[in-house]
Amino acid sequence: MQVFKFGGASVKDAHGVKNLAKVLKTVGHKDTLIVVSAMGKTTNAIELVIKNYFENKTELQSSLHDIIKYHNEILLELFDNEQHRVFAKIKSLFDELALFFKTNKSPDYNFVYDQTIGYGELVSTTIISEYLNEIGLKNHWLDVREFIKTDNYYRRAKVDWEQTQELISRSFNSSQLNIIQGFLGSDSNNFTTTLGREGSDYTAAIFAYCLNAKSVTIWKDVPGVLNADPRYFENAQLLHQISYREAIELAFYGASVIHPKTLQPLQRKEIPLHVKSFLNPVAHGTVVSKGKAIEPEVPCFIVKKNQTLISLSSLDFSYIVEENISDIFSLLHHYKMKVDVIQNSAISFSVCIENIFNNLDRLLQHLKAKFNVTHHENVSLYTIRHYNAKAIEEIERDKTVLLKQLTQETVQMVTK
């Protein structure tokens, strides 16, 4: 069994869907599971619909119509006959989405988000499954929510591995070409949950682990894992091979090619991960596997934008000790802040966070009751693995460094 994951960029239009079919024909699709994300920027577009639902209902229908139009244009390019059953299937899915917004009674943003955001994946997999069947690549469309069970921590659900393993082992036929959605699961009440943004990679790893797959391949619009994101850094280089440990480190610090949770289940069963280009499927790409040294040995650059740096000091110049730090982390957990860097001295404590759930103002208000607080919003966090002096100099050039932290293998800098 092999697991393929195709992201939104690979299926952003009709040409992308046709190319996916070409990739399958080129590399083989026997005993294969395909995990697919929403098409193009659909997830962002549905996020706008959700925002309009809560803040600007006059624009709700318009933003929803834009998504429907986008997918209908793809359908019309892929299918000659407008009477094809796929048109009715897609209409039914969008009707379900519209009905939810009309009938929902919950004021919980995170619940609403998870019940609606996954329609991008449901639509994309339906279109791709029907297209592949149309051209002779027979496959089975499956609803991933029937297999991956989670808790009800909406927008970042935790997988119930025991129940998920049981459902996949009992109900999944791995001897055929299957297509499922990435990113999604369901809780004990069968409400939809999500595994976090970019969670489709994690979905692929979950199934690979439960099915004892021989490999996972993530198909990207880049040739493999690069030592830097070419959107932000010049002269990015392809890494031919890296170890699980190195990949987990890169993912933890924010490398966008591999989701942070993806490597853990693969590493436990030593399932190799391939990151390859859907534009050149026969190229080698990058292999992530056990004990492989990074090749070539070059600095690896990662940047995370739109971070917030919070600096705290005691009100009476007393030491920041374990009790204070415990209180701080309790608040960070309570307000669902993702912590990327911490640094402390005798009387100060700094933390760089992602304000994913828009709780920053409440967190700051709470902290100011106990500490002197300063903060900087919209800062950038740079991480360099396997750094050298030249690499550090490149990052620091023309920037104000607000925080800098070095370990043997890694340097992190928060800059303005």
Side-chain angles (χ1 to χ4, degrees):
M1 182 93 195
Q2 59 183 350
V3 180
F4 288 169
K5 181 261 176 173
F6 289 88
S10 65
V11 291
K12 65 181 180 181
D13 52 27
H15 174 76
V17 175
K18 292 176 181 177
N19 188 67
L20 181 151
K22 182 180 176 183
V23 170
L24 294 178
K25 290 177 179 178
T26 301
V27 302
H29 51 83
K30 184 181 178 183
D31 302 335
T32 299
L33 169 64
I34 303 174
V35 180
V36 185
S37 301
M39 292 176 152
K41 300 294 184 181
T42 298
T43 300
N44 292 343
I46 298 178
E47 286 180 336
L48 176 59
V49 175
I50 298 167
K51 185 173 186 290
N52 287 336
Y53 173 74
F54 281 101
E55 300 176 12
N56 188 10
K57 280 192 166 58
T58 59
E59 294 296 322
L60 176 63
Q61 291 304 316
S62 175
S63 55
L64 185 56
H65 177 74
D66 288 342
I67 299 171
I68 296 170
K69 181 182 177 185
Y70 166 70
H71 287 88
N72 279 341
E73 287 173 353
I74 293 174
L75 284 171
L76 290 169
E77 285 192 57
L78 291 174
F79 299 91
D80 295 330
N81 179 12
E82 291 188 40
Q83 302 306 310
H84 192 287
R85 65 181 181 179
V86 69
F87 288 89
K89 284 187 174 184
I90 300 306
K91 182 180 184 302
S92 177
L93 287 169
F94 282 124
D95 286 346
E96 278 181 28
L97 179 58
L99 182 63
F100 176 87
F101 286 118
K102 287 180 181 177
T103 59
N104 171 62
K105 303 300 182 186
S106 173
D108 183 347
Y109 179 93
N110 297 322
F111 173 79
V112 171
Y113 185 98
D114 273 15
Q115 304 322 299
T116 55
I117 200 71
Y119 276 88
E121 279 73 17
L122 295 169
V123 168
S124 67
T125 51
T126 300
I127 293 173
I128 290 164
S129 175
E130 291 290 345
Y131 176 74
L132 293 180
N133 279 324
E134 186 76 1
I135 64 170
L137 291 178
K138 299 303 178 185
N139 68 89
H140 293 263
W141 182 95
L142 300 169
D143 189 333
V144 72
R145 296 171 295 182
E146 297 178 3
F147 297 94
I148 295 182
K149 302 302 289 187
T150 73
D151 63 11
N152 62 356
Y153 195 119
Y154 297 113
R155 296 183 69 192
R156 203 190 294 168
K158 183 178 179 181
V159 174
D160 182 330
W161 281 95
E162 184 176 346
Q163 195 177 2
T164 298
Q165 176 73 75
E166 181 186 347
L167 287 168
I168 291 175
S169 299
R170 187 176 70 216
S171 308
F172 193 88
N173 182 356
S174 60
S175 65
Q176 58 193 14
L177 178 60
N178 293 295
I179 295 180
I180 61 167
Q181 309 74 37
F183 182 49
L184 306 178
S186 65
D187 65 17
S188 58
N189 293 313
N190 290 324
F191 286 118
T192 304
T193 57
T194 60
L195 307 177
R197 286 297 300 264
E198 309 302 329
S200 295
D201 292 358
Y202 189 32
T203 303
I206 292 167
F207 273 88
Y209 178 91
C210 293
L211 292 166
N212 295 310
K214 70 175 183 180
S215 66
V216 173
T217 303
I218 298 174
W219 296 96
K220 305 283 290 185
D221 55 356
V222 290
V225 178
L226 306 178
N227 76 320
D229 189 328
R231 294 174 297 177
Y232 305 116
F233 301 93
E234 295 180 357
N235 304 316
Q237 294 178 251
L238 174 66
L239 302 176
H240 302 296
Q241 64 179 36
I242 52 176
S243 66
Y244 292 119
R245 182 184 181 88
E246 184 64 36
I248 288 170
E249 291 279 1
L250 292 172
F252 173 79
Y253 289 118
S256 60
V257 173
I258 305 171
H259 189 271
K261 295 179 181 176
T262 300
L263 281 305
Q264 293 160 351
L266 299 182
Q267 184 271 337
R268 288 204 294 270
K269 288 193 174 178
E270 298 184 8
I271 299 169
L273 171 68
H274 301 268
V275 182
K276 303 180 72 173
S277 169
F278 59 75
L279 301 173
N280 187 9
V282 296
H284 182 266
T286 302
V287 144
V288 183
S289 56
K290 182 182 179 182
K292 295 286 188 181
I294 187 169
E295 180 189 311
E297 292 186 31
V298 293
C300 296
F301 299 87
I302 301 158
V303 62
K304 298 179 84 170
K305 305 280 190 178
N306 302 315
Q307 304 285 294
T308 299
L309 179 66
I310 300 175
S311 298
L312 311 172
S313 61
S314 54
L315 293 170
D316 58 0
F317 289 94
S318 59
Y319 292 143
I320 300 285
V321 293
E322 289 84 355
E323 182 181 350
N324 306 118
I325 294 173
S326 176
D327 289 343
I328 293 165
F329 271 95
S330 177
L331 289 171
L332 291 168
H333 174 73
H334 177 73
Y335 290 110
K336 301 180 180 180
M337 295 295 176
K338 185 178 184 302
V339 176
D340 290 314
V341 180
I342 59 171
Q343 188 176 87
N344 68 289
S345 67
I347 60 171
S348 68
F349 182 94
S350 296
V351 58
C352 188
I353 59 173
E354 289 183 65
N355 182 26
I356 299 172
F357 292 89
N358 297 317
N359 290 329
L360 179 62
D361 290 340
R362 285 186 285 170
L363 171 65
L364 292 174
Q365 186 177 4
H366 210 142
L367 288 170
K368 286 175 182 177
K370 296 184 177 183
F371 304 95
N372 290 312
V373 180
T374 60
H375 78 286
H376 299 269
E377 296 183 48
N378 298 317
V379 297
S380 296
L381 171 61
Y382 288 90
T383 303
I384 312 173
R385 288 279 294 167
H386 314 293
Y387 63 87
N388 54 37
K390 181 182 177 184
I392 294 174
E393 183 184 332
E394 286 180 18
I395 297 303
E396 291 183 334
R397 190 179 299 125
D398 301 323
K399 299 181 184 72
T400 301
V401 178
L402 302 174
L403 180 149
K404 185 175 181 179
Q405 189 163 269
L406 291 88
T407 62
Q408 186 174 356
E409 292 283 350
T410 306
V411 60
Q412 291 190 282
M413 291 176 281
V414 178
T415 69
K416 191 75 173 173

